[in-house]
Amino acid sequence: MSNNVGRVKFIAANWKMNILTAKEGSDIDFIEQQYLNIVDKAFTEKNKQKECEVVIFPPHTHIGLLNAFNESNMFVGSQDISIHEKGAYTGEVSSECLVDIGATHVLVGHSERRQNHKESHSDVCKKAIQAINAKMGAVICIGETAEQKKAGKTIEVLTKQIDLSLPSIATAENIVLAYEPIWAIGTGEVLTPVLIDEIHKKLRYYIGEKKGKPFAENLRIIYGGSVKPSNAKEILCLDNVDGTLVGGASLQASDFAKIITEA
Ligand code: PGA
């Protein structure tokens, strides 16, 4: 199973806990408007609207702001979601709040949340369910540590994460699977294109065995971890890669725009 014919590319910007730095005298709204204009230009000029979906994941506080500027097919998503529907959960943000402010997608299971916030596979699965039930797309992240890679356990770790993090209500339409080797996030290290394609192919095969061939053939499996303008092309042209999740390089509009044009 390979060949990404028919799978629309999914290009995501994960701003993490950063906002775009405003130069003295210019306000943040203006800076973000500029960002969207640059990204939108790349998107429109290359007629990418037909070929790819672009989602920006800003901090929660900026979802509404970006959504208000959104005049194209670019979407705005949330970096997290509560496992609860509503109620006395101070500091948490529910699917209802996110939909209300314009979020269309949610990132779940990012390694920074799995590691720093001790999110379990079950939490990740519950969060994906909350997103899907609210008709948002869930971008479910998986990835192995450097130690697991060294011990030759990459596929074992990833398939376990797939088993326990993907909810039974997942379909190829309501989720995107993001493979991000943890050792590659923010480090400048990237897997070789051959290995990226090989791992994505194995994951697609595994999902096909579990959920059926049509699910696997239509599922978008994207790659993340130090993706930047200089390596985007060789990653995005791989048969089994259906997009990218971009952290650091998404903070510069011109870099992110370049990645979109390579999709
Ligand atoms: P990076 O982050 O592109 O800065 O490596 C990717 C991510 O954490 O999603």
Side-chain angles (χ1 to χ4, degrees), residues 14 16 110 112 180 184-186 225-227 245-248:
N14 178 9
K16 308 192 180 184
H110 191 281
E112 285 155 17
E180 297 200 297
I185 294 176
S226 298
V227 175
L245 179 52
V246 187

Side-chain angles (χ1 to χ4, degrees), residues 95-127:
S95 57
E96 195 180 8
C97 297
L98 293 173
V99 169
D100 197 43
I101 202 167
T104 52
H105 295 75
V106 182
L107 267 187
V108 294
H110 191 281
S111 62
E112 285 155 17
R113 294 215 56 90
R114 288 183 189 261
Q115 292 189 326
N116 304 343
H117 300 269
K118 306 280 173 284
E119 283 186 8
S120 65
H121 300 306
S122 154
D123 292 334
V124 175
C125 185
K126 285 180 191 157
K127 288 182 176 207

Side-chain angles (χ1 to χ4, degrees), residues 76-90:
V76 183
S78 169
Q79 296 173 20
D80 191 24
I81 187 171
S82 175
I83 60 172
H84 305 289
E85 247 165 62
K86 60 164 73 179
Y89 300 101
T90 303

Side-chain angles (χ1 to χ4, degrees), residues 173-218:
E173 287 70 44
N174 63 23
I175 70 158
V176 167
L177 186 68
Y179 167 50
E180 297 200 297
I182 296 169
W183 51 268
I185 294 176
T187 59
E189 287 183 53
V190 196
L191 263 181
T192 62
V194 172
L195 280 175
I196 294 175
D197 201 51
E198 194 181 304
I199 291 174
H200 279 223
K201 193 173 178 185
K202 283 183 181 161
L203 298 180
R204 198 178 297 287
Y205 179 80
Y206 182 75
I207 289 166
E209 295 283 291
K210 271 189 69 120
K211 300 229 177 223
K213 218 173 159 185
F215 184 115
E217 288 285 7
N218 293 321

Side-chain angles (χ1 to χ4, degrees), residues 13-24 26-39 56-59 61-62 65-66 69 79 246-256:
N14 178 9
W15 286 5
K16 308 192 180 184
M17 204 173 71
N18 299 294
I19 52 174
L20 309 180
T21 358
K23 287 193 198 81
E24 217 171 317
S26 47
D27 64 39
I28 189 69
D29 295 17
F30 175 75
I31 298 293
E32 290 184 351
Q33 175 73 73
Q34 292 272 305
Y35 180 98
L36 288 187
N37 285 345
I38 293 170
V39 171
I56 297 172
F57 293 91
T61 45
H62 284 52
L65 197 62
L66 288 187
F69 292 146
Q79 296 173 20
V246 187
S250 74
L251 294 173
Q252 287 295 332
S254 53
D255 284 354
F256 189 55

